[in-house]
Amino acid sequence: MATQRSATTLREQQLIDELDRIRSTYSFNLGLLITESFIRKPWKLPLLPFSFFKLNLDFLRNKRNAKKDLSGHSVSLDAKCLLLFCTSEEGLASLERCAVLAQQWMSGKDRKVVIISPLKEANQFAPKEALIYPITDPKQIQKEQRSDWNFQCEQLLANVLNTHLPANVAFDGPYPYRGVLNCIPLLEQTKWHWIRPDGVRDTAIAARSDNFTNIVEFGLG
């Protein structure tokens, strides 16, 4: 198994990023300047016109630098890497479909397949060159422990995404787990494909389609 990178969870990182974004806004810094000048440090009040001018100058300068940093830190995805996430709700059916996709993908030159599977039979079905990350079968988890399982799922998937940077991810199952949905924003340019049975009627499940780039439905008949 590939070495997992120790990092904060995706949800924690999103909260940190949101806090940094708020602290960098013009309104936050203007409010901080006014609070300091009128309440916390009134001796700064005579300097307010100069501090206000400096605030605007710094804000414009930081905004230009942020744009440069954003363009310089774009993640380069691996176009030859495909990540497959199979499920156990339909027995071995999802694993069998993912194995076929893996075989087809790896028929191309220098291509790589990474599979996350809750089924112990994954090694028997998947191509021997595929990298397999096992995950506990959620059907074996009690309902009250499902939130813990989703947390572990999110952490594993985030580490796999950060390690392999796949340009395409395919989730095969009747409904995507919350841990999977939480990871979709991690790599903005990655395309997410949901392979599911056709005729989904549940509105809550169907609403999750908006999180995916592409929906592939198959008949059960």
Side-chain angles (χ1 to χ4, degrees):
M1 181 184 296
T3 303
Q4 292 186 354
R5 296 162 58 179
S6 58
T8 57
T9 64
L10 175 59
R11 186 177 294 108
E12 289 172 339
Q13 188 59 51
Q14 288 174 332
L15 292 174
I16 292 172
D17 292 343
E18 178 63 15
L19 182 59
D20 289 342
R21 185 194 67 79
I22 293 174
R23 286 176 173 172
S24 65
T25 59
Y26 181 83
S27 57
F28 178 86
N29 285 278
L30 178 60
L32 186 62
L33 175 63
I34 293 175
T35 301
E36 281 201 343
S37 300
F38 285 90
I39 301 175
R40 295 174 59 190
K41 299 177 181 179
W43 57 268
K44 284 189 173 183
L45 187 58
L47 301 175
L48 182 58
F50 304 99
S51 300
F52 180 71
F53 176 77
K54 184 177 182 300
L55 170 67
N56 285 272
L57 186 63
D58 290 343
F59 181 78
L60 292 174
R61 184 184 297 113
N62 292 335
K63 192 173 182 180
R64 286 195 296 268
N65 291 336
K67 289 182 178 179
K68 292 179 181 179
D69 291 341
L70 185 62
S71 61
H73 286 81
S74 58
V75 177
S76 178
L77 300 179
D78 187 353
K80 293 188 176 182
C81 178
L82 172 64
L83 171 58
L84 299 169
F85 196 126
C86 64
T87 56
S88 60
E89 281 76 18
E90 302 170 273
L92 294 174
S94 174
L95 177 58
E96 291 173 343
R97 286 190 294 268
C98 286
V100 172
L101 288 174
Q103 290 282 7
Q104 293 175 345
W105 181 262
M106 297 190 76
S107 63
K109 185 179 179 181
D110 298 329
R111 288 185 175 180
K112 179 174 70 174
V113 168
V114 181
I115 299 176
I116 296 177
S117 173
L119 300 167
K120 60 184 180 181
E121 297 87 355
N123 286 307
Q124 302 173 24
F125 286 84
K128 62 179 182 179
E129 300 87 355
L131 298 174
I132 300 176
Y133 289 79
I135 188 172
T136 304
D137 188 342
K139 292 197 303 182
Q140 298 177 1
I141 303 297
Q142 295 181 359
K143 197 169 185 180
E144 58 270 19
Q145 297 177 319
R146 184 57 66 91
S147 60
D148 292 335
W149 182 89
N150 270 299
F151 175 80
Q152 295 172 7
C153 171
E154 176 183 338
Q155 202 164 33
L156 171 62
L157 181 54
N159 284 331
V160 171
L161 290 170
N162 285 324
T163 299
H164 299 285
L165 301 175
N168 288 277
V169 179
F171 176 86
D172 186 307
Y175 57 88
Y177 309 125
R178 171 48 54 189
V180 171
L181 294 175
N182 289 345
C183 283
I184 290 180
L186 182 59
L187 298 175
E188 293 184 359
Q189 301 304 316
T190 293
K191 295 181 179 178
W192 288 76
H193 312 273
W194 181 6
I195 304 172
R196 70 182 190 188
D198 61 3
V200 175
R201 297 288 184 266
D202 190 296
T203 55
I205 295 176
R208 300 182 180 185
S209 302
D210 296 337
N211 296 280
F212 291 84
T213 311
N214 186 33
I215 306 295
V216 180
E217 295 186 331
F218 59 88
L220 296 176

